[in-house]
Amino acid sequence: MTPTQQTVFGDKGNCFEACIASFFDMDIKDVPDFNAYEEGGVWMRHLNNWLAPQGLVYFEGRIPHTEIEEFFRDKDFYHIMIAPTMRSSEICHAVIGRKGKMLFDPHPDNVGIIKEKNGLRFGVFVKTFVLINESVQVSP
């Protein structure tokens, strides 16, 4: 993972795209603008269509704060953390986390995200599976 700074700021910022560029060691210019976290969720369909040729899918979940430490106790993986930031409680911001803690904020001020009442919202990239002759195989 190579930390990549976002290049667009505000409610149409590209913090999420910067996290993707970081994960995949890409130039941020090579990551499409998904308009992540806009209403309607269309962005996730576009993201997963973009990831499909790589045999990947993006998934988001939420872990209650009281369970974060236990959940990550025996797991060690990078993930995207999504929440409002100190700059604005109205705009979702994406940062890279590891074991439930922020590791890298793509915004230059590096303030990170604020804790949400209903738990840690996180996203992961998952290897997809395909069914071939009724047996499950990992896609290349």
Side-chain angles (χ1 to χ4, degrees):
M1 188 205 57
T2 305
T4 301
Q5 293 286 313
Q6 69 185 90
T7 57
V8 180
F9 304 90
D11 62 344
K12 298 286 184 183
N14 64 351
C15 56
F16 184 76
E17 289 79 2
C19 288
I20 293 172
S22 298
F23 265 101
F24 296 110
D25 297 314
M26 303 174 67
D27 189 305
I28 195 168
K29 294 178 213 150
D30 295 330
V31 178
D33 178 3
F34 295 111
N35 290 311
Y37 308 111
E38 280 196 348
E39 304 236 355
V42 174
W43 66 271
M44 194 176 294
R45 183 169 17 120
H46 294 301
L47 171 60
N48 284 322
N49 287 340
W50 182 72
L51 291 169
Q54 301 166 65
L56 297 171
V57 65
Y58 178 75
F59 170 80
E60 283 189 2
R62 190 178 298 272
I63 303 171
H65 289 295
T66 56
E67 298 175 20
I68 292 171
E69 189 175 320
E70 179 64 29
F71 178 83
F72 285 104
R73 183 176 315 282
D74 60 350
K75 299 167 190 71
D76 188 1
F77 59 91
Y78 295 106
H79 49 83
I80 296 177
M81 298 168 60
I82 307 101
T85 181
M86 295 294 285
R87 290 180 305 279
S88 171
S89 61
E90 302 297 315
I91 298 173
C92 281
H93 184 54
V95 300
I96 293 182
R98 184 173 177 189
K99 297 191 86 162
K101 297 185 181 353
M102 188 184 87
L103 181 68
F104 170 70
D105 183 347
H107 194 282
D109 72 9
N110 201 38
V111 298
I113 56 176
I114 56 177
K115 194 176 194 179
E116 287 189 294
K117 290 182 281 195
N118 51 359
L120 170 66
R121 185 170 158 199
F122 72 104
V124 292
F125 298 97
V126 179
K127 190 82 168 154
T128 59
F129 293 87
V130 293
L131 294 176
I132 301 175
N133 296 331
E134 297 185 28
S135 64
V136 177
Q137 304 214 355
V138 175
S139 62

